[in-house]
């Protein structure tokens, strides 16, 4: 009965402030804000009487005389309670390395009130950690925090490990198995996504209608979409990501390869979750912008001299694909043009790979694959990653003269079979691998080529393999084995996004050059990333007298040179642009990217450095204080010298919101000249003198502290209200959008009431979400802000001569 809002209580060995109390039949749900040493900034919901809550004793105002060491410890404990508005106090207890640029997105969201952020940093700059910082800080503030991280299926396990090991979070891996178990165990009317927690799932899972329907009945505190460029315009992936983002109070979008060459695609992902037209804040940094410890990678281009048989193969293929490109362009047949590009790419990979595709194309031209025979995924199926050309592309007719096309393909197939007997590029790779006695990642675009390399290497070194036909758990096992034991890893581009392969490896070999510079950066970025302690080496195998040597290698050089001059990645080149330029014989020139109209920049570098220094100081203080940090038997002020003629008083100035929750705090030191010497007094006499000093000087000292902190407090109040206004606007827009989508006509069935029941359920869910939003708006911290001051330490200093 004594529990009231604003009451200070002790529970679970910490001091808390009661924020709200909800009375239920057999218990009370008490929402608490931490105000102790270790829990400041943390919000928890406890159930009374199951959790024992005791009324905290009123803080004493007496002063205790202590030695200098005890005074320093008391001041350090007070310093650990100080944090500016929008700071990141929870990071002081995490194990993640603090890099200033990684704190900028969190500061933009928590201090400046930005609700949508796009992080488009260069490959390997820790976008997972940047999103994880936000997840940790918000989770520590709210015991009912609910977030969802949407990633490619192949990196779900890695996300879970990173959040657990570096940020001390406990995320839930939400795959098909988890969903089946949760649905079976929970009551039928309980949404498996509705319980608080951090869920890590895949974009291809949530796009399924039966999964997305349940997700649309939940609101989120934070939605993170990793590799967001995979959600293209008009796709089910984009629709699913937007549906979830529209139900979130905060949104973080991650991509190392933004689709700069396709303005409509970039605009579509930058607008994800936009409800009231406010642009997203975009962070796009390179290694040179972020850390002085970066060591430039070393690139080695190894030319491969082709055999006469391989040269003849490329000449035949170029002649055929040029004819297909011209005729298909005249009739606007994009599939036939794509088939020509696929064959050119396969030839640059290996003659054996090309032979397989040509024979498959011949078979499809004779007997086309039946449309619509693909088996749909069942709810418990796992998605594979596509890294092979589909049959509807390979089977597209290229030439109007069918007989001529078959003759060309048969000639190419025969030439490919002859060239495949001795692959020059494969022979060079084998010689290179024999000379290298360290872990190595070899990238190729096709599984056929990967199998060929594995067969050639298997005689003396047994390689691991990563490709798109593997299940996520299989890819995770291979990644763990390589990071643990090293060796040789053969990978298609299924491993070029998101996976960390830098723990034991610094060497990457590109068996063929990808047709976009960003794909090359994605591959090398698996080992050239934060945490890599050695110089990274990348080796490019380039076939002489082919497009690799004549087009792609010069293009790569120009793009990287332009990026180095401008200090950022400037190439807006997608594969279709490069392919068209190659087939039409047009030179590709890298161009500067214009700033997107639906994103904004925010320079928070200085704020991030200040916050990093503050957190590092807190970590040092925690380490030095050790066990004394947990000592609760302390007084709010201490005296460090018995003989003094001047006293310095340290005052904590705080901005407190509703229920006494501290929003902003800082320390101010005030000096007072003491007219009376206190030398040669006993400890009891010093205590009496100090009590009298506080009685006499407390009012002017606290007033002076408030005046000194007034400019900083004004800035903090403005930031608090800006952030609160943004949160309120987002909450209202989100609820309005949910209510709008739930209002549509329902056609009742003739023999059942399922449609009506579903409609009632939808309206009930919308009503509950509206009530939750109204309760959140009532807790707006900017409504009532009060300034509080308290003395936390006193130190006497003797200035007069002895």
């Amino acid at each position: 009965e004594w529990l009231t809002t604003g009451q200070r209580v002790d529970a679970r060995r910490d001091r808390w402030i009661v924020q709200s109390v909800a009375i239920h039949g057999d218990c009370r749900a008490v929402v608490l804000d931490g105000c102790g040493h270790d829990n400041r900034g943390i919000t928890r919901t406890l159930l009374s009487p199951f959790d024992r809550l005791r009324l905290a004793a009123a803080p004493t105002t007496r002063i205790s005389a202590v030695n200098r060491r005890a005074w320093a410890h008391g001041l350090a404990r007070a310093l650990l309670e100080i944090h500016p508005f929008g700071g990141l106090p929870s990071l002081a207890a995490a194990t993640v390395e603090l890099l200033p640029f990684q704190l900028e997105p969190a500061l933009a969201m928590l201090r400046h009130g930005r609700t949508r952020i796009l992080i488009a940093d260069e490959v390997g700059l820790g976008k997972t950690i940047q999103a994880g910082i936000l997840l940790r800080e918000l989770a520590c503030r709210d015991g009912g925090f609910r977030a969802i991280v949407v990633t490619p299926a192949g990196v779900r396990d890695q996300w879970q490990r990173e959040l657990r090991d570096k940020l001390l979070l406990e995320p839930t891996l939400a795959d098909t198995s988890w969903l089946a178990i949760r649905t079976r165990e929970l009551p039928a009317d309980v949404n498996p996504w509705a319980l608080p927690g951090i869920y890590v799932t895949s974009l291809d899972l949530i796009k399924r209608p039966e999964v997305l329907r349940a997700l649309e009945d939940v609101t989120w505190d934070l939605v993170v979409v990793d590799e967001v460029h995979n959600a293209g315009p008009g796709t089910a992936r984009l629709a699913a990501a937007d549906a979830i983002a529209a139900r979130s109070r905060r949104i973080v979008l991650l991509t190392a390869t933004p689709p700069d060459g396709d303005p409509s695609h970039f605009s579509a992902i930058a607008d994800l979750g936009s409800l009231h037209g406010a642009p997203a804040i975009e962070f796009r940094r390179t290694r040179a912008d972020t850390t002085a410890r970066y060591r430039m990678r070393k690139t080695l281009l190894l030319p491969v001299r082709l055999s006469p048989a391989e040269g003849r193969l490329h000449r035949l293929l170029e002649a055929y694909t040029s004819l297909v490109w011209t005729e298909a362009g005249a009739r606007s047949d994009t599939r036939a043009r794509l088939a020509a590009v696929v064959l050119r790419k396969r030839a640059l990979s290996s003659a054996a790979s090309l032979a397989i595709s040509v024979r498959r194309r011949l078979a499809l031209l004779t007997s086309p694959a039946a449309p619509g025979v693909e088996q749909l995924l069942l709810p418990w199926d796992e998605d594979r990653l596509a890294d092979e050309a589909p049959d509807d592309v390979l089977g597209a007719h290229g030439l109007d003269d069918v007989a001529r096309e078959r003759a060309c393909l048969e000639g190419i197939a025969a030439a490919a079979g002859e060239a495949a007997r001795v692959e020059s590029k494969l022979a060079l790779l084998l010689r290179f691998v024999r000379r290298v006695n360290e872990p190595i990642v070899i990238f190729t675009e096709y599984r056929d080529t990967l199998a060929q390399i594995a067969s050639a290497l298997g005689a003396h070194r047994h390689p691991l393999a990563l490709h798109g036909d593997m299940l996520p758990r299989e890819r995770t096992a291979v990644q763990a084995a390589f990071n643990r034991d090293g060796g040789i890893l053969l990978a298609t581009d299924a491993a070029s996004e998101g996976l960390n392969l830098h723990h034991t490896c610094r060497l990457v070999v590109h068996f063929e050059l990808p047709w976009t510079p960003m794909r090359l950066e994605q591959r090398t970025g698996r080992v050239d990333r934060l945490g890599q302690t050695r110089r990274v080496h990348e080796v490019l195998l380039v076939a002489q007298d082919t497009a690799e040597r004549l087009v792609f290698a010069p293009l790569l050089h120009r793009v990287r040179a332009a990026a180095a001059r401008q200090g950022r990645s400037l190439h807006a080149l997608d594969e279709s642009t490069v392919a068209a330029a190659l087939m039409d014989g047009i030179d590709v020139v890298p161009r500067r990217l214009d700033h997107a109209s639906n994103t904004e920049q925010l320079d928070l570098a200085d704020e991030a450095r200040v916050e990093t220094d503050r957190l590092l100081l807190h970590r040092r203080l925690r380490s030095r204080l050790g066990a004394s940090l947990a000592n609760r038997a302390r007084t709010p002020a201490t005296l460090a010298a018995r003989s003094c003629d001047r006293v310095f008083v340290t005052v904590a100035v705080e901005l407190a919101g509703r229920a006494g929750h501290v929003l902003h705090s800082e320390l101010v030191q005030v000096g007072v000249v003491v007219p009376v010497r206190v030398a040669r007094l006993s400890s009891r006499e010093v205590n009496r003198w100090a009590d009298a000093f506080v009685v006499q000087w407390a009012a002017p000292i606290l007033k002076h502290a408030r005046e000194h902190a007034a400019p900083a407090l004004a800035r903090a109040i403005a930031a608090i209200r800006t952030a609160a206004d943004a949160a309120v606007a987002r909450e209202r827009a989100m609820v309005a959008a949910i209510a709008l989508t739930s209002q549509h006509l329902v056609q009742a069935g003739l023999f059942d009431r399922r449609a009506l029941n579903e409609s009632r359920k939808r309206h009930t869910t919308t009503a509950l979400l509206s009530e939750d939003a109204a309760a959140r708006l009532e807790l707006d911290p900017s409504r009532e802000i009060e300034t509080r001051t308290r003395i936390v330490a006193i130190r006497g200093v003797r200035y007069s001569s002895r």
Side-chain angles (χ1 to χ4, degrees), residues 85 106 172 196 210 244 276 325 337 373 379 435 445 452 472 511 572 583 599 658 727 749:
F85 172 72
T172 298
E210 71 276 8
I244 296 177
H276 44 75
W325 187 266
R337 281 195 158 193
V373 297
R435 296 177 182 179
E445 189 161 354
Q452 185 184 10
F511 192 74
M583 302 300 291
T599 63
R658 304 187 67 174

Side-chain angles (χ1 to χ4, degrees), residues 308-369:
E310 290 172 316
R312 179 174 176 272
L313 169 64
H314 282 282
R315 289 192 298 271
L316 288 174
L317 182 63
E318 288 172 10
Y320 166 70
T321 54
S322 296
L323 287 173
V324 172
W325 187 266
T326 301
E327 290 193 15
R331 61 175 185 267
S332 300
D333 188 347
T334 56
R335 288 197 306 134
R337 281 195 158 193
L338 182 55
V341 171
V342 168
L343 293 179
R344 291 290 296 272
K345 293 173 68 176
R346 300 275 282 186
L348 293 173
S349 180
S350 69
S353 176
L354 175 65
I356 294 173
S357 293
V358 171
R359 285 194 293 269
R360 180 61 180 160
R361 178 166 172 78
L362 279 168
L364 291 170
L365 290 175
T366 303
S367 301

Side-chain angles (χ1 to χ4, degrees), residues 404 543 635 796:
R404 182 184 182 188
T635 55

Side-chain angles (χ1 to χ4, degrees), residues 27 46 67 310 313 316 510 542 661:
C27 66
L46 303 184
N67 58 32
E310 290 172 316
L313 169 64
L316 288 174
H510 304 276
V542 180
H661 180 61

Side-chain angles (χ1 to χ4, degrees), residues 544-746:
Q544 296 280 56
D545 301 324
T546 67
E548 277 191 330
R549 186 67 184 90
L550 302 176
V551 178
F552 301 136
L555 174 62
L556 173 64
H557 176 74
R558 293 199 303 271
V559 166
R560 286 185 168 176
R565 288 194 304 270
Q566 302 295 340
R568 59 175 292 183
S569 179
L570 303 176
H571 39 289
L573 299 175
D574 56 21
E575 188 169 304
S576 60
T577 302
V578 175
L582 170 68
M583 302 300 291
D584 292 329
I586 301 173
D587 191 22
V588 181
V589 179
R591 62 181 178 85
R592 173 181 286 276
L593 300 180
D594 296 327
H595 177 65
S597 59
N598 55 344
T599 63
E600 289 182 355
Q601 306 291 325
L602 194 61
D603 185 6
L604 300 178
D606 292 338
E607 288 186 30
R609 282 192 290 269
V610 171
E611 182 67 9
T612 301
D613 292 340
R614 189 183 70 84
L615 292 173
L616 290 174
L617 174 61
H618 279 216
R619 285 186 176 182
R620 290 195 296 270
L621 291 176
R622 284 174 174 271
S623 176
R624 292 177 182 176
L625 290 176
S628 66
L629 183 61
N631 181 17
R632 299 292 188 262
R634 62 181 180 86
T635 55
T638 58
L639 189 64
R642 297 183 185 178
S643 178
C644 59
D645 53 18
R646 190 167 301 183
V647 176
F648 288 92
V649 182
T650 304
V651 179
V653 183
E654 302 173 338
L655 293 176
R658 304 187 67 174
H661 180 61
V662 177
L663 304 173
H664 170 89
S665 56
E666 56 186 87
L667 293 180
V668 176
Q669 185 169 264
V670 180
V672 179
V673 177
V674 180
V676 180
R677 301 286 296 275
V678 294
R680 296 184 299 278
L681 297 178
S682 66
S683 296
R684 181 174 299 179
E685 292 171 328
V686 171
N687 288 344
R688 286 199 297 268
W689 175 87
D691 286 336
F693 170 82
V694 170
V695 171
Q696 179 181 359
W697 292 97
I701 286 174
L702 297 179
K703 179 181 177 182
H704 180 81
R706 285 193 296 269
E707 293 174 349
H708 184 273
L713 296 181
R715 291 192 296 270
I717 291 173
I720 292 169
R721 288 176 175 162
T722 298
D725 290 344
V728 168
R730 177 74 189 180
E731 190 80 32
R732 288 174 175 167
M734 185 174 65
V735 174
I738 294 173
L740 184 63
T741 57
S742 69
Q743 295 174 0
H744 61 272
L745 296 177
V746 179

